[in-house]
Amino acid sequence: DIRASLAGHFPARSTMDSEEMVKAQGMGVWMTAIFIAGQMAGGGVLMLPGALVNTGPWGLLLLAYFTVNGAYVGTRLGHCWIMVEEQFPELRREKCRDPYPTIAEKAVGKVGRYFATVCIMGVQYGTGIGFIVLTAKFMDNIFHYIFPDDMVMSTCRYTSL
């Protein structure tokens, strides 16, 4: 439980009920969960048809698992952010441009902030590569119908464009 792991870093506080979880301004727990699920699904929606064709029926099970997993993680991150805002009221008054590293820093220190930042950069890099490969496949499909086979480049060459 995240509260137990953060207990040594923050003073004790009474338990929160779900009514306290919704802020007057900003996102509450459920909106955060929906936002994160949508963010995670953004690039995946474009790649989903090809992935489902390649994985068959297991792909639907994996899709359901990762959907539930993403929604659950979103609720946990929402709870963590609310806990951090309760302990550090200055974060309520101003917008935070890097909430994941901030949560990690408040939980484990500077090492957590750096680790979260590296993880975010890795996800962004991987997403960018996925979009490049997807675009190259689209270009391959389009140019395959326009030009004769001997003039069409491979998908690998389109990625270098």
Side-chain angles (χ1 to χ4, degrees), residues 138-149 152-153 158:
F138 287 160
M139 290 173 66
D140 184 40
N141 289 338
I142 291 169
F143 291 136
H144 183 73
Y145 291 108
I146 296 174
F147 299 111
D149 286 340
V152 175
M153 295 189 294
Y158 286 122

Side-chain angles (χ1 to χ4, degrees), residues 23 26-27 35 81 84-85 88-106 113 120:
K23 294 175 47 175
M27 296 190 303
F35 176 75
W81 183 249
V84 167
E85 281 185 331
F88 301 95
E90 66 272 9
L91 292 173
R92 281 188 195 169
R93 291 187 292 273
E94 55 192 54
K95 297 212 183 269
C96 181
R97 295 182 55 120
D98 54 350
Y100 302 143
T102 301
I103 291 170
E105 181 180 15
K106 301 304 182 190
R113 173 177 275 285
I120 290 168

Side-chain angles (χ1 to χ4, degrees), residues 41-56 59-64 66-67 131 134 138:
V45 168
L46 294 174
M47 297 177 205
L48 184 63
L52 286 177
V53 166
N54 292 332
T55 57
L60 289 175
L61 288 172
L62 286 172
L63 177 66
F66 286 118
T67 300
F131 282 131
L134 185 66
F138 287 160

